[in-house]
Every structure is written in structure tokens, then in C-alpha cells.
Amino acid sequence: MLCLFRHQDRILVSRDYDSVKQSDYYRPLGGGIEFGETSRDALIREIREELGAEIEQLTWLGTLENLFTLEGEPGHEIVLIYDAQFCDRTLYNQPHLSGSEGDKPLLAEWKSLSEFSNAGLRLVPDDLKDFVWGHS
């Protein structure tokens, strides 16, 4: 599942790189559901683990099915899309939020929607744009 943290005209995303396609892509924060866990509880846990932050006002926006290729390998995922708010409102004023995803450093950054529509930054999953612009 993924969370669309939104503030004004920006969303919170992390950047990654596909070495086969030789291109950057951006994805909202989230993760997987563990056995016996609801998607809401999983999202709260994932954000706590990744950023050390608490969230509230979780709203399920919908589900999308994503067929993709990453690092040359085909992938398939069912993604639950949520909207939520940080309990600590000061996080919206920081340009970057640092954390970790397992043993890998995580840097989340606020990006304006125009950077995805006009500047050509790639937001994944591809159909996520429908949720970002359709539910803002």
C-alpha cells in the first residue's frame, strides 16, 4: 500500500533509480502488509518504521493493479492507495524527511505536482496520477 501525503500542491515521494532503464522514478511511501495486519495498521507501522513519524486521518482512496518492469524484471502488484496526515504538522515545512527502509537509508522529499506533469519526473505506479489529480 502507498500513502499520498499531500500538502498544498506537493506530495511526499522517495526517489529511486532503475539501472536497466537508466532513469529515476518517484514513489510515495508505503510498504507491505504482514500476516494478520490490516492495511491501515500496516501503513501506520511502515511510516513509523521508515520515518519515525505518527500518522492520522487515514482515508482509503482506492486500489490499482500495476504491471511493471523494474531492473529488467517483470512485476505485478495490487496497490491500496491511502491519504493520511502527519500528526507532527512541522514535517510539512521540511523539504526532506530522512529515515530508513530496513538497512537502506531513505530520503523522502516534497515534490510539486507540476514537476510530474510539466517537468517530466516519473511518478510510479503509472496510474497513480489518477489518484493524485483526481482526489486532491
Side-chain angles (χ1 to χ4, degrees):
M1 78 257 123
L2 296 174
C3 191
L4 292 176
F5 290 103
R6 295 180 279 194
H7 186 260
Q8 298 169 349
D9 73 331
R10 305 173 307 158
I11 60 172
L12 186 66
V13 292
S14 64
R15 182 176 65 184
D16 214 331
Y17 183 75
D18 185 322
S19 64
V20 173
K21 294 177 184 174
Q22 296 187 346
S23 66
D24 291 327
Y25 62 91
Y26 294 82
R27 185 176 171 101
L29 304 182
I33 301 170
E34 295 179 357
F35 182 78
E37 189 175 47
T38 67
S39 59
R40 290 176 58 86
D41 289 344
L43 190 56
I44 291 168
R45 175 186 50 76
E46 286 285 348
I47 300 304
R48 186 180 293 139
E49 289 175 358
E50 292 176 355
L51 295 177
E54 299 299 323
I55 60 175
E56 62 185 1
Q57 300 178 23
L58 280 76
T59 304
W60 176 70
L61 300 177
T63 303
L64 64 84
E65 186 169 15
N66 183 34
L67 298 168
F68 61 96
T69 303
L70 179 63
E71 296 297 336
E73 296 293 322
H76 185 191
E77 63 183 351
I78 305 296
V79 185
L80 302 172
I81 310 297
Y82 280 90
D83 185 48
Q85 299 291 315
F86 286 112
C87 295
D88 179 356
R89 301 294 194 249
T90 65
L91 297 177
Y92 294 103
N93 299 324
Q94 299 177 25
H96 300 91
L97 304 178
S98 297
S100 63
E101 191 170 4
D103 59 354
K104 178 180 158 186
L106 172 75
L107 180 66
E109 50 193 308
W110 294 101
K111 291 286 187 186
S112 71
L113 298 179
S114 64
E115 290 181 84
F116 295 104
S117 60
N118 300 333
L121 296 184
R122 184 166 174 241
L123 181 65
V124 299
D126 292 331
D127 292 339
L128 187 61
K129 289 181 182 182
D130 297 337
F131 288 91
V132 173
W133 280 269
H135 295 86
S136 54

